[in-house]
Amino acid sequence: MARQDPEQTPDGRRRRSERSRQAIIDAMLKLVEEGVLVPTAQQVSERAGVGIRSVFRHFSDMESLFATADTLIREQYQGLFAGGDRAGSVEERLLHAVEQHALVYEAIGNHLLTTKAQLWRYTILREQYARAQRQLRKDLDDRSEERRVGKEC
């Protein structure tokens, strides 16, 4: 019988640790979705069903937990901002862009609010927020440029 490489077969502790980490992240996201804009470590640990020490075993501080949650939300929704119909006159394109952004903001409203509520506290959130804002402006600028070039041809 061939032995399996221990690196390829995580032991029970590693799997349990990964489940705990994911439970902590899921708890954070769920609390924010429910309107708890600045969840505490205690609230997260209770929701995740883990001890508060587990929260800080997986995340060095609340900033790293907020940053992880923020990154996950941005990865899920960033592309949606660029979606939607952008055809027609300037007014129609603007209306389409506003409608698309409104749909996304409605879907992630509390996550956006929690980020904004924490901007003053956490450098990483300020950096991620600024990067996302630059990307949104770039997307709108790129689409405007595509329109201008399309009309010139």
Side-chain angles (χ1 to χ4, degrees):
M1 186 163 104
R3 287 182 49 174
Q4 290 185 333
D5 181 1
E7 291 296 315
Q8 293 177 343
T9 311
D11 64 10
R13 288 177 300 207
R14 181 168 294 157
R15 286 191 303 269
R16 201 168 32 255
S17 177
E18 290 167 2
R19 281 193 308 268
S20 291
R21 184 177 196 284
Q22 190 59 52
I24 292 165
I25 294 167
D26 292 345
M28 171 68 119
L29 294 173
K30 190 69 174 160
L31 285 164
V32 170
E33 286 170 15
E34 293 171 359
V36 181
L37 299 182
V38 186
T40 64
Q42 186 66 43
Q43 290 170 311
V44 171
S45 71
E46 288 171 2
R47 176 63 65 94
V50 300
I52 196 163
R53 287 178 54 190
S54 289
V55 172
F56 293 111
R57 204 172 299 125
H58 291 284
F59 299 94
S60 58
D61 52 25
M62 288 302 287
E63 180 176 16
S64 63
L65 179 53
F66 277 108
T68 299
D70 186 66
T71 298
L72 289 172
I73 290 300
R74 288 192 193 285
E75 288 171 358
Q76 291 175 4
Y77 294 105
Q78 192 68 34
L80 296 177
F81 281 104
D85 181 13
R86 304 274 175 92
S89 67
V90 171
E91 292 81 13
E92 291 169 326
R93 290 193 317 270
L94 180 59
L95 179 61
H96 295 155
V98 168
E99 288 171 346
Q100 185 64 30
H101 283 223
L103 288 172
V104 178
Y105 284 128
E106 192 172 304
I108 65 166
N110 283 346
H111 293 286
L112 179 62
L113 290 174
T114 200
T115 297
K116 289 187 130 195
Q118 298 295 323
L119 287 177
W120 67 274
R121 181 178 289 166
Y122 299 130
T123 303
I124 188 71
L125 291 182
R126 281 192 301 276
E127 292 168 356
Q128 289 179 183
Y129 182 79
R131 186 172 35 254
Q133 293 302 304
R134 284 190 303 271
Q135 182 58 43
L136 288 173
R137 281 191 298 276
K138 182 180 180 318
D139 173 62
L140 290 173
D141 288 345
D142 288 349
R143 288 182 182 267
S144 295
E145 182 64 26
E146 288 171 14
R147 284 282 177 205
R148 230 180 354 263
V149 170
K151 284 184 177 181
E152 291 174 2
C153 292

